[in-house]
Amino acid sequence: MNYQWYPGHMTKARRMMQEDIRLIDLVIELTDARVPYSSRNPDIDELGKNKARLILLNKSDLADEQMNEVWAEHFKKKGYYTAKINARSGAGMKQIQGIIQEACKEKTERDRKRGILNRPVRAMVVGIPNVGKSTFINTFAGKACTKTGNRPGVTKGKQWIRLNKNVELLDTPGILWPKFEDQSVGQKLAVIGSIKDEILQAEELALWILGFMQEHYPGRLKERYQIEEEGLLPELLNSIAFARGCKRKGEQPDYQKAAQLIVDDFRSGKLGRVTMESPDTTA
């Protein structure tokens, strides 16, 4: 299928971010550590040029730890501050305050020379839908100050959040970009849940996941579903349907149910820690 999802509120959100960027000292961009390239909106680099930048590899507990290190080093070489976090559990969050101060050290020094003391750093939090922006803000602030939801498109307006005397955050809606030039990017975003499931085909996503796991993480499917994982992908889906009791009347396999099970298992980490791309393959 052709992967695309760009509802009207995203156009409005992009305009709003362009207007607000002049107020900002730092752009904090959340990515999904399983797809650090595909989960970056290419518009953000243009939007945030001449600003300090911090890229957070969120959901790093679901990603291959070795690849987390590779991606962190890749972003550092490009001049970004970076950190691996799990916003939901709080892992890696304690370092963020210090990184923000370090990233904005030049700005703070300029303010001091002009006699401006104790002005908080203003940071804009950006990222694609369902990457965990609201969860990050709530965990960072230590309170529920934004709406959260395990579905894309929960945040639809902007809001300023005063975290402490040193930092103010501007939360923004998750925005994709109008057209995926590379459909494999859209497919990966669909797999991690950044495109509404209602417009997707679960069987197609499941077959893609099975093929990826078969090639890059052999043994994981056998371990999870107690099946032989060699063979054609439709046969694998069939085996998993029977192994997990996904059946319709007449003992026929329910492929839709089995496919959704596979997608859910991937998203929740039940297939193990997986990273779907590397800097070498996305250059």
PDB file of all heavy atoms in Angstrom, residues 203-240:
ATOM      1  N   GLU A 203      -2.072  -7.174   7.833  1.00  0.00           N
ATOM      2  CA  GLU A 203      -1.386  -8.326   7.237  1.00  0.00           C
ATOM      3  C   GLU A 203      -0.121  -7.902   6.504  1.00  0.00           C
ATOM      4  O   GLU A 203       0.909  -8.563   6.583  1.00  0.00           O
ATOM      5  CB  GLU A 203      -2.335  -9.069   6.293  1.00  0.00           C
ATOM      6  CG  GLU A 203      -3.370  -9.918   7.032  1.00  0.00           C
ATOM      7  CD  GLU A 203      -4.206 -10.757   6.082  1.00  0.00           C
ATOM      8  OE1 GLU A 203      -3.630 -11.386   5.171  1.00  0.00           O
ATOM      9  OE2 GLU A 203      -5.433 -10.771   6.251  1.00  0.00           O
ATOM     10  N   GLU A 204      -0.209  -6.778   5.802  1.00  0.00           N
ATOM     11  CA  GLU A 204       0.960  -6.289   5.069  1.00  0.00           C
ATOM     12  C   GLU A 204       2.080  -5.908   6.040  1.00  0.00           C
ATOM     13  O   GLU A 204       3.249  -6.229   5.816  1.00  0.00           O
ATOM     14  CB  GLU A 204       0.561  -5.082   4.215  1.00  0.00           C
ATOM     15  CG  GLU A 204       1.657  -4.620   3.264  1.00  0.00           C
ATOM     16  CD  GLU A 204       1.181  -3.538   2.312  1.00  0.00           C
ATOM     17  OE1 GLU A 204       0.051  -3.651   1.798  1.00  0.00           O
ATOM     18  OE2 GLU A 204       1.937  -2.577   2.101  1.00  0.00           O
ATOM     19  N   LEU A 205       1.733  -5.236   7.142  1.00  0.00           N
ATOM     20  CA  LEU A 205       2.733  -4.869   8.145  1.00  0.00           C
ATOM     21  C   LEU A 205       3.344  -6.117   8.783  1.00  0.00           C
ATOM     22  O   LEU A 205       4.564  -6.192   8.984  1.00  0.00           O
ATOM     23  CB  LEU A 205       2.100  -4.004   9.242  1.00  0.00           C
ATOM     24  CG  LEU A 205       1.630  -2.604   8.877  1.00  0.00           C
ATOM     25  CD1 LEU A 205       1.165  -1.874  10.135  1.00  0.00           C
ATOM     26  CD2 LEU A 205       2.724  -1.812   8.189  1.00  0.00           C
ATOM     27  N   ALA A 206       2.498  -7.093   9.100  1.00  0.00           N
ATOM     28  CA  ALA A 206       2.978  -8.311   9.749  1.00  0.00           C
ATOM     29  C   ALA A 206       3.949  -9.074   8.851  1.00  0.00           C
ATOM     30  O   ALA A 206       4.983  -9.562   9.317  1.00  0.00           O
ATOM     31  CB  ALA A 206       1.794  -9.202  10.134  1.00  0.00           C
ATOM     32  N   LEU A 207       3.631  -9.173   7.578  1.00  0.00           N
ATOM     33  CA  LEU A 207       4.521  -9.875   6.645  1.00  0.00           C
ATOM     34  C   LEU A 207       5.864  -9.160   6.539  1.00  0.00           C
ATOM     35  O   LEU A 207       6.918  -9.797   6.462  1.00  0.00           O
ATOM     36  CB  LEU A 207       3.857  -9.994   5.268  1.00  0.00           C
ATOM     37  CG  LEU A 207       2.655 -10.944   5.185  1.00  0.00           C
ATOM     38  CD1 LEU A 207       1.978 -10.840   3.827  1.00  0.00           C
ATOM     39  CD2 LEU A 207       3.072 -12.393   5.454  1.00  0.00           C
ATOM     40  N   TRP A 208       5.821  -7.823   6.557  1.00  0.00           N
ATOM     41  CA  TRP A 208       7.077  -7.073   6.510  1.00  0.00           C
ATOM     42  C   TRP A 208       7.906  -7.343   7.769  1.00  0.00           C
ATOM     43  O   TRP A 208       9.120  -7.544   7.692  1.00  0.00           O
ATOM     44  CB  TRP A 208       6.787  -5.576   6.383  1.00  0.00           C
ATOM     45  CG  TRP A 208       8.029  -4.760   6.153  1.00  0.00           C
ATOM     46  CD1 TRP A 208       8.587  -4.443   4.952  1.00  0.00           C
ATOM     47  CD2 TRP A 208       8.871  -4.190   7.161  1.00  0.00           C
ATOM     48  NE1 TRP A 208       9.731  -3.688   5.145  1.00  0.00           N
ATOM     49  CE2 TRP A 208       9.934  -3.527   6.488  1.00  0.00           C
ATOM     50  CE3 TRP A 208       8.839  -4.161   8.551  1.00  0.00           C
ATOM     51  CZ2 TRP A 208      10.943  -2.847   7.168  1.00  0.00           C
ATOM     52  CZ3 TRP A 208       9.857  -3.490   9.227  1.00  0.00           C
ATOM     53  CH2 TRP A 208      10.876  -2.850   8.540  1.00  0.00           C
ATOM     54  N   ILE A 209       7.256  -7.343   8.925  1.00  0.00           N
ATOM     55  CA  ILE A 209       7.954  -7.616  10.191  1.00  0.00           C
ATOM     56  C   ILE A 209       8.566  -9.013  10.163  1.00  0.00           C
ATOM     57  O   ILE A 209       9.728  -9.207  10.545  1.00  0.00           O
ATOM     58  CB  ILE A 209       6.988  -7.477  11.390  1.00  0.00           C
ATOM     59  CG1 ILE A 209       6.607  -6.002  11.600  1.00  0.00           C
ATOM     60  CG2 ILE A 209       7.613  -8.045  12.672  1.00  0.00           C
ATOM     61  CD1 ILE A 209       5.453  -5.800  12.571  1.00  0.00           C
ATOM     62  N   LEU A 210       7.787 -10.001   9.697  1.00  0.00           N
ATOM     63  CA  LEU A 210       8.293 -11.370   9.640  1.00  0.00           C
ATOM     64  C   LEU A 210       9.523 -11.468   8.750  1.00  0.00           C
ATOM     65  O   LEU A 210      10.512 -12.119   9.100  1.00  0.00           O
ATOM     66  CB  LEU A 210       7.195 -12.314   9.124  1.00  0.00           C
ATOM     67  CG  LEU A 210       5.977 -12.514  10.047  1.00  0.00           C
ATOM     68  CD1 LEU A 210       4.930 -13.389   9.356  1.00  0.00           C
ATOM     69  CD2 LEU A 210       6.390 -13.114  11.382  1.00  0.00           C
ATOM     70  N   GLY A 211       9.473 -10.812   7.594  1.00  0.00           N
ATOM     71  CA  GLY A 211      10.621 -10.830   6.683  1.00  0.00           C
ATOM     72  C   GLY A 211      11.843 -10.163   7.294  1.00  0.00           C
ATOM     73  O   GLY A 211      12.972 -10.663   7.159  1.00  0.00           O
ATOM     74  N   PHE A 212      11.615  -9.045   7.976  1.00  0.00           N
ATOM     75  CA  PHE A 212      12.733  -8.334   8.599  1.00  0.00           C
ATOM     76  C   PHE A 212      13.356  -9.173   9.707  1.00  0.00           C
ATOM     77  O   PHE A 212      14.582  -9.287   9.799  1.00  0.00           O
ATOM     78  CB  PHE A 212      12.254  -6.988   9.159  1.00  0.00           C
ATOM     79  CG  PHE A 212      13.366  -6.169   9.754  1.00  0.00           C
ATOM     80  CD1 PHE A 212      14.121  -5.323   8.951  1.00  0.00           C
ATOM     81  CD2 PHE A 212      13.675  -6.267  11.100  1.00  0.00           C
ATOM     82  CE1 PHE A 212      15.159  -4.589   9.489  1.00  0.00           C
ATOM     83  CE2 PHE A 212      14.717  -5.535  11.646  1.00  0.00           C
ATOM     84  CZ  PHE A 212      15.465  -4.692  10.828  1.00  0.00           C
ATOM     85  N   MET A 213      12.526  -9.756  10.558  1.00  0.00           N
ATOM     86  CA  MET A 213      13.034 -10.566  11.668  1.00  0.00           C
ATOM     87  C   MET A 213      13.752 -11.798  11.147  1.00  0.00           C
ATOM     88  O   MET A 213      14.804 -12.196  11.670  1.00  0.00           O
ATOM     89  CB  MET A 213      11.887 -10.978  12.589  1.00  0.00           C
ATOM     90  CG  MET A 213      11.164  -9.828  13.267  1.00  0.00           C
ATOM     91  SD  MET A 213      12.218  -8.784  14.298  1.00  0.00           S
ATOM     92  CE  MET A 213      12.656  -9.935  15.610  1.00  0.00           C
ATOM     93  N   GLN A 214      13.205 -12.400  10.124  1.00  0.00           N
ATOM     94  CA  GLN A 214      13.802 -13.594   9.530  1.00  0.00           C
ATOM     95  C   GLN A 214      15.220 -13.292   9.023  1.00  0.00           C
ATOM     96  O   GLN A 214      16.144 -14.079   9.227  1.00  0.00           O
ATOM     97  CB  GLN A 214      12.903 -14.047   8.371  1.00  0.00           C
ATOM     98  CG  GLN A 214      13.134 -15.453   7.868  1.00  0.00           C
ATOM     99  CD  GLN A 214      12.170 -15.773   6.736  1.00  0.00           C
ATOM    100  OE1 GLN A 214      11.984 -14.984   5.803  1.00  0.00           O
ATOM    101  NE2 GLN A 214      11.532 -16.932   6.805  1.00  0.00           N
ATOM    102  N   GLU A 215      15.385 -12.116   8.412  1.00  0.00           N
ATOM    103  CA  GLU A 215      16.677 -11.757   7.820  1.00  0.00           C
ATOM    104  C   GLU A 215      17.666 -11.222   8.852  1.00  0.00           C
ATOM    105  O   GLU A 215      18.849 -11.582   8.836  1.00  0.00           O
ATOM    106  CB  GLU A 215      16.468 -10.709   6.727  1.00  0.00           C
ATOM    107  CG  GLU A 215      17.756 -10.261   6.059  1.00  0.00           C
ATOM    108  CD  GLU A 215      17.536  -9.242   4.960  1.00  0.00           C
ATOM    109  OE1 GLU A 215      16.364  -8.924   4.641  1.00  0.00           O
ATOM    110  OE2 GLU A 215      18.547  -8.745   4.420  1.00  0.00           O
ATOM    111  N   HIS A 216      17.207 -10.356   9.759  1.00  0.00           N
ATOM    112  CA  HIS A 216      18.141  -9.632  10.622  1.00  0.00           C
ATOM    113  C   HIS A 216      18.229 -10.163  12.052  1.00  0.00           C
ATOM    114  O   HIS A 216      19.240  -9.928  12.732  1.00  0.00           O
ATOM    115  CB  HIS A 216      17.746  -8.147  10.668  1.00  0.00           C
ATOM    116  CG  HIS A 216      17.837  -7.468   9.333  1.00  0.00           C
ATOM    117  ND1 HIS A 216      19.030  -7.042   8.789  1.00  0.00           N
ATOM    118  CD2 HIS A 216      16.873  -7.161   8.419  1.00  0.00           C
ATOM    119  CE1 HIS A 216      18.813  -6.498   7.605  1.00  0.00           C
ATOM    120  NE2 HIS A 216      17.508  -6.551   7.363  1.00  0.00           N
ATOM    121  N   TYR A 217      17.198 -10.827  12.519  1.00  0.00           N
ATOM    122  CA  TYR A 217      17.212 -11.355  13.887  1.00  0.00           C
ATOM    123  C   TYR A 217      16.745 -12.810  13.892  1.00  0.00           C
ATOM    124  O   TYR A 217      15.730 -13.147  14.499  1.00  0.00           O
ATOM    125  CB  TYR A 217      16.329 -10.497  14.804  1.00  0.00           C
ATOM    126  CG  TYR A 217      16.860  -9.102  15.033  1.00  0.00           C
ATOM    127  CD1 TYR A 217      16.466  -8.039  14.211  1.00  0.00           C
ATOM    128  CD2 TYR A 217      17.770  -8.828  16.060  1.00  0.00           C
ATOM    129  CE1 TYR A 217      16.959  -6.752  14.409  1.00  0.00           C
ATOM    130  CE2 TYR A 217      18.268  -7.547  16.256  1.00  0.00           C
ATOM    131  CZ  TYR A 217      17.859  -6.517  15.425  1.00  0.00           C
ATOM    132  OH  TYR A 217      18.345  -5.245  15.627  1.00  0.00           O
ATOM    133  N   PRO A 218      17.494 -13.683  13.173  1.00  0.00           N
ATOM    134  CA  PRO A 218      17.075 -15.089  13.081  1.00  0.00           C
ATOM    135  C   PRO A 218      16.995 -15.738  14.460  1.00  0.00           C
ATOM    136  O   PRO A 218      17.813 -15.476  15.331  1.00  0.00           O
ATOM    137  CB  PRO A 218      18.170 -15.727  12.220  1.00  0.00           C
ATOM    138  CG  PRO A 218      19.343 -14.797  12.307  1.00  0.00           C
ATOM    139  CD  PRO A 218      18.775 -13.427  12.484  1.00  0.00           C
ATOM    140  N   GLY A 219      15.979 -16.550  14.639  1.00  0.00           N
ATOM    141  CA  GLY A 219      15.786 -17.257  15.899  1.00  0.00           C
ATOM    142  C   GLY A 219      14.741 -16.626  16.798  1.00  0.00           C
ATOM    143  O   GLY A 219      14.155 -17.300  17.656  1.00  0.00           O
ATOM    144  N   ARG A 220      14.473 -15.335  16.607  1.00  0.00           N
ATOM    145  CA  ARG A 220      13.519 -14.643  17.475  1.00  0.00           C
ATOM    146  C   ARG A 220      12.087 -15.151  17.263  1.00  0.00           C
ATOM    147  O   ARG A 220      11.334 -15.306  18.225  1.00  0.00           O
ATOM    148  CB  ARG A 220      13.559 -13.134  17.221  1.00  0.00           C
ATOM    149  CG  ARG A 220      14.897 -12.461  17.516  1.00  0.00           C
ATOM    150  CD  ARG A 220      15.004 -12.058  18.979  1.00  0.00           C
ATOM    151  NE  ARG A 220      16.209 -11.264  19.207  1.00  0.00           N
ATOM    152  CZ  ARG A 220      16.249  -9.931  19.143  1.00  0.00           C
ATOM    153  NH1 ARG A 220      15.149  -9.256  18.868  1.00  0.00           N
ATOM    154  NH2 ARG A 220      17.384  -9.293  19.356  1.00  0.00           N
ATOM    155  N   LEU A 221      11.701 -15.373  16.011  1.00  0.00           N
ATOM    156  CA  LEU A 221      10.334 -15.829  15.739  1.00  0.00           C
ATOM    157  C   LEU A 221      10.119 -17.233  16.288  1.00  0.00           C
ATOM    158  O   LEU A 221       9.069 -17.542  16.856  1.00  0.00           O
ATOM    159  CB  LEU A 221      10.052 -15.807  14.228  1.00  0.00           C
ATOM    160  CG  LEU A 221      10.097 -14.424  13.559  1.00  0.00           C
ATOM    161  CD1 LEU A 221       9.936 -14.560  12.051  1.00  0.00           C
ATOM    162  CD2 LEU A 221       9.000 -13.518  14.126  1.00  0.00           C
ATOM    163  N   LYS A 222      11.129 -18.076  16.132  1.00  0.00           N
ATOM    164  CA  LYS A 222      11.046 -19.446  16.654  1.00  0.00           C
ATOM    165  C   LYS A 222      10.896 -19.428  18.171  1.00  0.00           C
ATOM    166  O   LYS A 222      10.083 -20.159  18.747  1.00  0.00           O
ATOM    167  CB  LYS A 222      12.297 -20.225  16.256  1.00  0.00           C
ATOM    168  CG  LYS A 222      12.285 -21.674  16.708  1.00  0.00           C
ATOM    169  CD  LYS A 222      13.517 -22.409  16.200  1.00  0.00           C
ATOM    170  CE  LYS A 222      13.471 -23.884  16.609  1.00  0.00           C
ATOM    171  NZ  LYS A 222      14.656 -24.622  16.106  1.00  0.00           N
ATOM    172  N   GLU A 223      11.678 -18.544  18.811  1.00  0.00           N
ATOM    173  CA  GLU A 223      11.640 -18.440  20.276  1.00  0.00           C
ATOM    174  C   GLU A 223      10.286 -17.936  20.768  1.00  0.00           C
ATOM    175  O   GLU A 223       9.742 -18.444  21.745  1.00  0.00           O
ATOM    176  CB  GLU A 223      12.761 -17.501  20.731  1.00  0.00           C
ATOM    177  CG  GLU A 223      12.843 -17.313  22.229  1.00  0.00           C
ATOM    178  CD  GLU A 223      13.936 -16.325  22.606  1.00  0.00           C
ATOM    179  OE1 GLU A 223      14.772 -15.983  21.754  1.00  0.00           O
ATOM    180  OE2 GLU A 223      13.922 -15.876  23.767  1.00  0.00           O
ATOM    181  N   ARG A 224       9.722 -16.947  20.069  1.00  0.00           N
ATOM    182  CA  ARG A 224       8.468 -16.336  20.519  1.00  0.00           C
ATOM    183  C   ARG A 224       7.254 -17.213  20.239  1.00  0.00           C
ATOM    184  O   ARG A 224       6.361 -17.351  21.083  1.00  0.00           O
ATOM    185  CB  ARG A 224       8.295 -14.973  19.835  1.00  0.00           C
ATOM    186  CG  ARG A 224       6.962 -14.271  20.116  1.00  0.00           C
ATOM    187  CD  ARG A 224       6.827 -13.876  21.559  1.00  0.00           C
ATOM    188  NE  ARG A 224       5.534 -13.258  21.835  1.00  0.00           N
ATOM    189  CZ  ARG A 224       5.013 -13.108  23.045  1.00  0.00           C
ATOM    190  NH1 ARG A 224       5.670 -13.546  24.104  1.00  0.00           N
ATOM    191  NH2 ARG A 224       3.843 -12.536  23.204  1.00  0.00           N
ATOM    192  N   TYR A 225       7.211 -17.817  19.028  1.00  0.00           N
ATOM    193  CA  TYR A 225       5.982 -18.488  18.606  1.00  0.00           C
ATOM    194  C   TYR A 225       6.104 -20.015  18.559  1.00  0.00           C
ATOM    195  O   TYR A 225       5.129 -20.700  18.233  1.00  0.00           O
ATOM    196  CB  TYR A 225       5.543 -17.964  17.236  1.00  0.00           C
ATOM    197  CG  TYR A 225       5.283 -16.474  17.240  1.00  0.00           C
ATOM    198  CD1 TYR A 225       6.086 -15.603  16.505  1.00  0.00           C
ATOM    199  CD2 TYR A 225       4.255 -15.933  17.998  1.00  0.00           C
ATOM    200  CE1 TYR A 225       5.859 -14.235  16.517  1.00  0.00           C
ATOM    201  CE2 TYR A 225       4.021 -14.560  18.017  1.00  0.00           C
ATOM    202  CZ  TYR A 225       4.827 -13.721  17.272  1.00  0.00           C
ATOM    203  OH  TYR A 225       4.607 -12.374  17.300  1.00  0.00           O
ATOM    204  N   GLN A 226       7.304 -20.524  18.868  1.00  0.00           N
ATOM    205  CA  GLN A 226       7.516 -21.984  18.851  1.00  0.00           C
ATOM    206  C   GLN A 226       7.178 -22.576  17.476  1.00  0.00           C
ATOM    207  O   GLN A 226       6.443 -23.552  17.345  1.00  0.00           O
ATOM    208  CB  GLN A 226       6.680 -22.667  19.936  1.00  0.00           C
ATOM    209  CG  GLN A 226       6.900 -22.125  21.342  1.00  0.00           C
ATOM    210  CD  GLN A 226       8.364 -22.231  21.783  1.00  0.00           C
ATOM    211  OE1 GLN A 226       8.945 -23.312  21.780  1.00  0.00           O
ATOM    212  NE2 GLN A 226       8.958 -21.103  22.160  1.00  0.00           N
ATOM    213  N   ILE A 227       7.719 -21.937  16.427  1.00  0.00           N
ATOM    214  CA  ILE A 227       7.509 -22.413  15.059  1.00  0.00           C
ATOM    215  C   ILE A 227       8.863 -22.509  14.362  1.00  0.00           C
ATOM    216  O   ILE A 227       9.859 -21.944  14.838  1.00  0.00           O
ATOM    217  CB  ILE A 227       6.606 -21.447  14.256  1.00  0.00           C
ATOM    218  CG1 ILE A 227       7.267 -20.042  14.208  1.00  0.00           C
ATOM    219  CG2 ILE A 227       5.208 -21.367  14.828  1.00  0.00           C
ATOM    220  CD1 ILE A 227       6.687 -19.111  13.174  1.00  0.00           C
ATOM    221  N   GLU A 228       8.897 -23.212  13.253  1.00  0.00           N
ATOM    222  CA  GLU A 228      10.088 -23.181  12.399  1.00  0.00           C
ATOM    223  C   GLU A 228       9.993 -21.915  11.557  1.00  0.00           C
ATOM    224  O   GLU A 228       8.962 -21.678  10.918  1.00  0.00           O
ATOM    225  CB  GLU A 228      10.147 -24.424  11.514  1.00  0.00           C
ATOM    226  CG  GLU A 228      10.389 -25.718  12.281  1.00  0.00           C
ATOM    227  CD  GLU A 228      11.661 -25.668  13.126  1.00  0.00           C
ATOM    228  OE1 GLU A 228      12.678 -25.145  12.635  1.00  0.00           O
ATOM    229  OE2 GLU A 228      11.621 -26.138  14.283  1.00  0.00           O
ATOM    230  N   GLU A 229      11.056 -21.106  11.554  1.00  0.00           N
ATOM    231  CA  GLU A 229      10.910 -19.794  10.916  1.00  0.00           C
ATOM    232  C   GLU A 229      11.436 -19.729   9.493  1.00  0.00           C
ATOM    233  O   GLU A 229      11.414 -18.676   8.868  1.00  0.00           O
ATOM    234  CB  GLU A 229      11.580 -18.706  11.769  1.00  0.00           C
ATOM    235  CG  GLU A 229      13.067 -18.863  11.948  1.00  0.00           C
ATOM    236  CD  GLU A 229      13.640 -17.699  12.752  1.00  0.00           C
ATOM    237  OE1 GLU A 229      13.083 -17.370  13.815  1.00  0.00           O
ATOM    238  OE2 GLU A 229      14.636 -17.132  12.293  1.00  0.00           O
ATOM    239  N   GLU A 230      11.916 -20.850   8.961  1.00  0.00           N
ATOM    240  CA  GLU A 230      12.303 -20.854   7.559  1.00  0.00           C
ATOM    241  C   GLU A 230      11.043 -20.933   6.697  1.00  0.00           C
ATOM    242  O   GLU A 230       9.984 -21.343   7.157  1.00  0.00           O
ATOM    243  CB  GLU A 230      13.218 -22.053   7.232  1.00  0.00           C
ATOM    244  CG  GLU A 230      14.572 -22.031   7.914  1.00  0.00           C
ATOM    245  CD  GLU A 230      14.506 -22.418   9.375  1.00  0.00           C
ATOM    246  OE1 GLU A 230      13.504 -23.079   9.748  1.00  0.00           O
ATOM    247  OE2 GLU A 230      15.419 -22.048  10.134  1.00  0.00           O
ATOM    248  N   GLY A 231      11.184 -20.550   5.430  1.00  0.00           N
ATOM    249  CA  GLY A 231      10.041 -20.673   4.519  1.00  0.00           C
ATOM    250  C   GLY A 231       9.494 -19.324   4.087  1.00  0.00           C
ATOM    251  O   GLY A 231       9.992 -18.260   4.469  1.00  0.00           O
ATOM    252  N   LEU A 232       8.445 -19.381   3.272  1.00  0.00           N
ATOM    253  CA  LEU A 232       7.836 -18.180   2.728  1.00  0.00           C
ATOM    254  C   LEU A 232       7.047 -17.454   3.807  1.00  0.00           C
ATOM    255  O   LEU A 232       6.527 -18.061   4.751  1.00  0.00           O
ATOM    256  CB  LEU A 232       6.915 -18.549   1.558  1.00  0.00           C
ATOM    257  CG  LEU A 232       7.589 -19.242   0.356  1.00  0.00           C
ATOM    258  CD1 LEU A 232       6.552 -19.663  -0.668  1.00  0.00           C
ATOM    259  CD2 LEU A 232       8.634 -18.315  -0.288  1.00  0.00           C
ATOM    260  N   LEU A 233       6.944 -16.163   3.661  1.00  0.00           N
ATOM    261  CA  LEU A 233       6.292 -15.346   4.696  1.00  0.00           C
ATOM    262  C   LEU A 233       4.821 -15.708   4.920  1.00  0.00           C
ATOM    263  O   LEU A 233       4.386 -15.781   6.073  1.00  0.00           O
ATOM    264  CB  LEU A 233       6.445 -13.861   4.360  1.00  0.00           C
ATOM    265  CG  LEU A 233       7.893 -13.355   4.244  1.00  0.00           C
ATOM    266  CD1 LEU A 233       7.912 -11.859   3.958  1.00  0.00           C
ATOM    267  CD2 LEU A 233       8.692 -13.663   5.501  1.00  0.00           C
ATOM    268  N   PRO A 234       4.022 -15.927   3.869  1.00  0.00           N
ATOM    269  CA  PRO A 234       2.627 -16.334   4.127  1.00  0.00           C
ATOM    270  C   PRO A 234       2.538 -17.634   4.928  1.00  0.00           C
ATOM    271  O   PRO A 234       1.631 -17.813   5.737  1.00  0.00           O
ATOM    272  CB  PRO A 234       2.048 -16.501   2.717  1.00  0.00           C
ATOM    273  CG  PRO A 234       2.881 -15.603   1.856  1.00  0.00           C
ATOM    274  CD  PRO A 234       4.272 -15.708   2.425  1.00  0.00           C
ATOM    275  N   GLU A 235       3.509 -18.552   4.693  1.00  0.00           N
ATOM    276  CA  GLU A 235       3.525 -19.800   5.457  1.00  0.00           C
ATOM    277  C   GLU A 235       3.832 -19.528   6.932  1.00  0.00           C
ATOM    278  O   GLU A 235       3.258 -20.168   7.829  1.00  0.00           O
ATOM    279  CB  GLU A 235       4.572 -20.754   4.874  1.00  0.00           C
ATOM    280  CG  GLU A 235       4.241 -21.261   3.474  1.00  0.00           C
ATOM    281  CD  GLU A 235       5.390 -22.040   2.860  1.00  0.00           C
ATOM    282  OE1 GLU A 235       6.454 -22.164   3.524  1.00  0.00           O
ATOM    283  OE2 GLU A 235       5.233 -22.516   1.723  1.00  0.00           O
ATOM    284  N   LEU A 236       4.725 -18.579   7.178  1.00  0.00           N
ATOM    285  CA  LEU A 236       5.035 -18.207   8.559  1.00  0.00           C
ATOM    286  C   LEU A 236       3.808 -17.632   9.258  1.00  0.00           C
ATOM    287  O   LEU A 236       3.520 -17.955  10.412  1.00  0.00           O
ATOM    288  CB  LEU A 236       6.172 -17.171   8.591  1.00  0.00           C
ATOM    289  CG  LEU A 236       7.609 -17.664   8.459  1.00  0.00           C
ATOM    290  CD1 LEU A 236       8.563 -16.482   8.546  1.00  0.00           C
ATOM    291  CD2 LEU A 236       7.934 -18.667   9.545  1.00  0.00           C
ATOM    292  N   LEU A 237       3.106 -16.749   8.563  1.00  0.00           N
ATOM    293  CA  LEU A 237       1.896 -16.156   9.130  1.00  0.00           C
ATOM    294  C   LEU A 237       0.878 -17.250   9.447  1.00  0.00           C
ATOM    295  O   LEU A 237       0.237 -17.229  10.498  1.00  0.00           O
ATOM    296  CB  LEU A 237       1.302 -15.130   8.157  1.00  0.00           C
ATOM    297  CG  LEU A 237       0.047 -14.390   8.624  1.00  0.00           C
ATOM    298  CD1 LEU A 237       0.316 -13.590   9.897  1.00  0.00           C
ATOM    299  CD2 LEU A 237      -0.469 -13.457   7.527  1.00  0.00           C
ATOM    300  N   ASN A 238       0.768 -18.212   8.543  1.00  0.00           N
ATOM    301  CA  ASN A 238      -0.150 -19.331   8.745  1.00  0.00           C
ATOM    302  C   ASN A 238       0.249 -20.140   9.983  1.00  0.00           C
ATOM    303  O   ASN A 238      -0.592 -20.506  10.816  1.00  0.00           O
ATOM    304  CB  ASN A 238      -0.141 -20.218   7.501  1.00  0.00           C
ATOM    305  CG  ASN A 238      -1.200 -21.297   7.537  1.00  0.00           C
ATOM    306  OD1 ASN A 238      -2.393 -21.018   7.540  1.00  0.00           O
ATOM    307  ND2 ASN A 238      -0.771 -22.557   7.578  1.00  0.00           N
ATOM    308  N   SER A 239       1.549 -20.410  10.131  1.00  0.00           N
ATOM    309  CA  SER A 239       2.047 -21.186  11.269  1.00  0.00           C
ATOM    310  C   SER A 239       1.773 -20.468  12.587  1.00  0.00           C
ATOM    311  O   SER A 239       1.385 -21.090  13.582  1.00  0.00           O
ATOM    312  CB  SER A 239       3.549 -21.436  11.120  1.00  0.00           C
ATOM    313  OG  SER A 239       3.828 -22.207   9.975  1.00  0.00           O
ATOM    314  N   ILE A 240       1.982 -19.148  12.586  1.00  0.00           N
ATOM    315  CA  ILE A 240       1.757 -18.365  13.809  1.00  0.00           C
ATOM    316  C   ILE A 240       0.272 -18.332  14.151  1.00  0.00           C
ATOM    317  O   ILE A 240      -0.118 -18.414  15.321  1.00  0.00           O
ATOM    318  CB  ILE A 240       2.330 -16.938  13.646  1.00  0.00           C
ATOM    319  CG1 ILE A 240       3.871 -17.009  13.583  1.00  0.00           C
ATOM    320  CG2 ILE A 240       1.894 -16.032  14.794  1.00  0.00           C
ATOM    321  CD1 ILE A 240       4.536 -15.719  13.178  1.00  0.00           C
TER     322      ILE A 240
END
